[in-house]
Structures are given as C-alpha cells and as structure tokens.
Amino acid sequence: MSLHSMLFSSLAIGAQSQAFELANFNVTDALVQQGVNLSALPELAPLADRSSDFACHIACDSLQTLYGADAVDYDDEPSYTSFTGAYWSTIPAEVKPSCIFRPSTPASVSVLVLIARLSQCPFAVKSGGHSAFAGGASIEGGVTVSLENLREVRLAADRETVAVQPGNTWSRVLSKLNDTGAGLTYGLVCDNVASFDVSTYTEAYLVALFPEKYVLGVVTASGVVVNASPTQFPDLYWALRGGGNNFGIVVSFNMMTRPLPNDLLFGGTRVFAEANFPQVAKAYIDMSLNSAQDPKAGGWVVWLSVGGQRLALTELWYAAPLAAGADAPLLSAFYDIEAVSDSTKTRGHAEYVRDGHSFYGQRQVYYVLSVKLAAHPEFAARTVDVFWDAVGGALGGVKGVLPLLIWQHVTEASLKASKRNGGIPWGLIRLAGLYLSCSWRLVYKTMSDIMKQIKQESRDLGIENDWVYMNYASQYQDVIASYGAENKERLKRVAEMYDPRGVFQTLQPGYFKLDRAAKPDARYFSH
Ligand SMILES: *[C@@H]1O[C@H](CO)[C@@H](O)[C@H](O)[C@H]1NC(C)=O
Ligand SMILES: *[C@@H]1O[C@H](CO)[C@@H](O)[C@H](O)[C@H]1NC(C)=O
Ligand SMILES: *[C@@H]1O[C@H](CO)[C@@H](O)[C@H](O)[C@H]1NC(C)=O
C-alpha cells in the first residue's frame, strides 16, 4: 500500500467513526504503516508498552538508523555545535538537546512524532527559530527537530499559488519567485516563513487567504499528514491560525501570489533624533488610524537609546515603487521631518528582505501587549515615557543592555483579511490597535513592570485589549488565555479532536500551551 493510499484510507476511517484518532490507536502499527521496519530497530520494539529513562537516546538512535548519520547530530559532532550556535537569540542556543533531527520529507516528520510517542521522548520544532526563549524551538534533553531541509518553493502551473515549506527564509522564497520571471511576489520583512501571523501586516504584504487556494499541510499526532483549509478540516485550519504549536507540525504553506511588476517596491529605515519625537509619534499614529485609506503603506517604529543618544527608527514600506517616499500620502508626514539617516528607496522585494537586519547573537527577550488606540491616540506617546522612565532607572547599570520599544499597528486591511475564511482564534479583536514589543538582553522584571504599568494605564482609559501576539510574547505570558474564554474552549475542542492523547501538549512542552504560559511564573506580567 502506498503512503498516499494509506493516508486516504486512514482518513476515511477517521471520517466514518467521527473520530480523527481512534481510541485504540496503536503507535507501533502506525509506524509499520509508514514503512518503518521495527525489527531493524530492536531498541524501539520493547518500548511499545513502557517509557524509559533512555527514551531520547533510543529515539535518536532509531532516527539515525532510519535516516542516516547526516540526519541526526549528537553533541560530540561539530554540526551540532554549529546548529546550536546559529540561533537568532542566544538564549535557546544555550539549550542542549539529546540530538538534532533534520527530516527531509513530511513523512519523516510523521515518523518522528510516532517515535516520540512510542519512546515518550519530548521534542521541539525549529523552522526560522525566531522565538526568543529556551524551549520554543529547542529542547533540553529531547529531540530538536530542525525543518531546514524542508525547503521546497513550488509555484503552481497557473502561478496563482506557491507551496512553501517551513525551512525557507523569505529571502530565499522571494528570490526563487523573482527567478521564475513571473514578476510575482508577496511576503513580509521577516526571517521566518513559519511565523504565521496573518493579520499583522498590510494587505499588500499579506499572505492572502482565499477559500479554495489556501492550504496548510499538517503532520498530526497520529502521523497522518492532512491538508487543512477553509474547506478541508476547517476547524483545524482555524485553530492553526494563531493557536500555536498545539495541533500538529505544519510542513507546507500554500499561499496566494500577488503580481509585483519587476519585483519592485519601496522601503527602508528613516531615523529621527529626539528633538523630532513628537512629530514622529504623530506621523505614525496618523498613518495607523488612516490605514484603511491605502493598504499598501505600512511601517513600525523602534524607540531606543544608543550610547546615551535617543533615536526613533522608522521602518517604512510601500508595496509598489515610489519616486519619493513623500509621494505616498500615508507616508508623506515622515518626509516632512528632518531625518538623521534614511535608507528608504525603491528596490526589489527580494533584495529588500535580504538586506533587512536581523540581529543575531544577542540575548533577545520579548514582551508584548496590545491596546485599542483609536479612542486615545495620545496614549501611544505615554507608553514611550513609561519606557524611558523604567529603562533609565533600573537598567542604567546593566552593561551591554539595548532596550527597545517597538510600535507596530494592526491595520484595517489586516483585520479585514484576518476575518476571511472563518476568522482566527483571536477574531474578537475589533478595533485597530497598536502592539508594543521590547527585545533586549536580560532584566525580565523591568520589562514586566513596564507592561504592568502600560496595561494599568490603558485599563484606566478603557482602551485595554486582551490580545497578546504570540510571536512576540514573553515566556511568562498566557497567550491562549488572552484570546478569551470562548476561543480558548474552541481551541481545546479542536486539539481534543485531532490529538486526543495530548501529544502536542505533553511531548512538545515548549512554547505557549492551551492551558498555560510557556513558563508560568506569577511574579511576572502575564496578559
Ligand atoms: C500494537 O501493535 C503491535 C504490533 O501489531 C502489538 O504487538 C502491540 O501489542 C499493540 N499494542 C497495543 C497497546 O495494543
Ligand atoms: C527488517 O529488518 C530486519 C532486521 O534488520 C531484516 O532482517 C528484514 O529483512 C527487514 N525487513 C524488510 C522488509 O526490509
Ligand atoms: C530579480 O530578477 C531580476 C530580473 O530577472 C534580476 O535582475 C534581479 O537581480 C533579481 N533580484 C534578485 C534579488 O534576485
């Protein structure tokens, strides 16, 4: 029986019984059906009915027997050290997994999940690795699964969609599309295809979600790979759009393409000195509040202090070529303000993303919250005051610290797009907002205090917003709880349906789980 027909027959069984995974699901049998010869893995066979202290040693050895030495690295190999040394944040880089597994096919991801179940060895999955804390894309003593070899970028014959596997970077995806000569592009300035945030970017940058076109390939707990879309497994599809790593491992993203003639768009960084901060804040808030006028324009602001000098870095973009930034009405206010430096220009999208800065090698830390700004736009500037006060005091003596406060708006177009195809797990958000994200070295408490104070002040004004953006949340934040009780319950029902034994709750313990923060700790701000 081919893998394909096997998958279809198991799906048929699931549909008949109204259960995705049968109560008598046998992991050993599922591995045999994946073509795994269990007699060739003698250590694994006796594990069927028990767990073992050597679980991960056995899981790693079995993966190595099945997929070869190149697919599995142990800590005595240089490839292990170069892998752990290449994380974006050095915090997950300090984690020591039992082994690193590099699957090359979705089927080998299925086998990994089943072997983890059989051996009870925990795992974590890394694609781009943009999570800042330990345990998200790395796991102490378990199997860290690197998706780097899942790098397919396949443009459909009609060029309307592209299938992208999660081991890609945006730079690679966009270069591949540019190379097709199709003049197509889409995407955002981000180093991680798998950072699956459908509603945070402008429409023009957005992975557009059309019912018949948008599909996620997902490895589920029983090892079955399904395509989740608004029409196939729509509940799973809904849950994956914001529900995190609680339902399966996404091994393919089918995305809509957008024509972009000659790959050209406008973007870059315009930097301002402290004397102009009030105008910069006003320009950004005006752009956010008026975002419905032109979904092509977007940006974010980074407030920071370098060597005692305070700066505002604005990343501005426009999803079409511009002769000058001032030509786009939503961006023009930024060009009325004198800048310290400016790299904004029209260039290739692939080139823009490739030139984008990702600060590797720092102890990065995130903390995030959102507010409904429309009723009190002046509150945005208040958050910067809270930030300067806190970092100027507590962090003054911390050597090498680089505190940043980032404003990023959720535009009208993004909110509208996120409601298509059944919405998303935090679909209750109605008003355009602004979220704040900080990333710096050390000092969780200061960040937590800043968040507490901003949250309290936003509550006092009645503009607080519960939604916490998962990708930039700290390990202490209970992200799923921030989606509201109703969405949380629905997410749990979906998990119960596709993963009745809670494989992704227990064997993949890192990151934000359905019932908890990644690392619950009542001393810190949660949500
Ligand atoms: C699972 O299947 C294997 C092989 O068919 C069998 O030896 C084992 O007893 C089964 N396990 C359970 C718990 O039924
Ligand atoms: C399975 O593995 C055993 C032990 O290595 C071997 O004798 C047998 O031929 C293998 N079976 C198949 C179908 O490859
Ligand atoms: C995109 O394609 C154009 C035309 O083929 C080429 O000149 C350009 O260098 C490409 N850009 C990148 C970043 O690959």
Side-chain angles (χ1 to χ4, degrees), residues 76-206:
D76 57 353
E77 297 177 65
S79 49
Y80 178 103
T81 317
S82 52
F83 176 89
T84 53
Y87 275 85
W88 167 71
S89 168
T90 59
I91 295 174
E94 288 160 5
V95 172
K96 300 282 171 248
S98 223
C99 67
I100 294 148
F101 175 49
R102 297 179 166 90
S104 305
T105 60
S108 46
V109 177
S110 294
V111 170
L112 168 277
V113 170
L114 293 170
I115 286 183
R117 288 183 70 165
L118 201 55
S119 64
Q120 292 293 299
C121 170
F123 60 93
V125 179
K126 173 181 183 287
S127 53
H130 205 266
S131 61
F133 53 84
S138 58
I139 184 159
E140 189 70 36
V143 178
T144 293
V145 183
S146 167
L147 300 180
E148 69 201 83
N149 291 334
L150 292 175
R151 295 213 304 169
E152 193 172 56
V153 178
R154 192 166 26 87
L155 191 61
D158 64 8
R159 299 190 162 184
E160 285 187 3
T161 59
V162 61
V164 176
Q165 290 189 323
N168 285 293
T169 58
W170 279 115
S171 162
R172 191 168 176 278
V173 172
L174 295 169
S175 295
K176 287 239 158 205
L177 286 177
N178 184 45
D179 289 349
T180 65
L184 296 167
T185 197
Y186 64 88
L188 51 120
V189 186
C190 180
D191 74 346
N192 179 0
V193 166
S195 78
F196 183 49
D197 36 19
V198 292
S199 85
T200 335
Y201 298 88
T202 61
E203 170 105 296
Y205 278 81
L206 191 70

Side-chain angles (χ1 to χ4, degrees), residues 497-514:
M497 165 86 187
Y498 293 94
D499 181 13
R501 304 290 174 86
V503 170
F504 292 106
Q505 298 305 301
T506 53
L507 286 172
Q508 189 178 225
Y511 219 53
F512 303 97
K513 299 286 98 177
L514 293 171

Side-chain angles (χ1 to χ4, degrees), residues 242-254:
N245 68 353
N246 295 298
F247 308 91
I249 301 172
V250 176
V251 289
S252 175
F253 299 81
N254 249 34

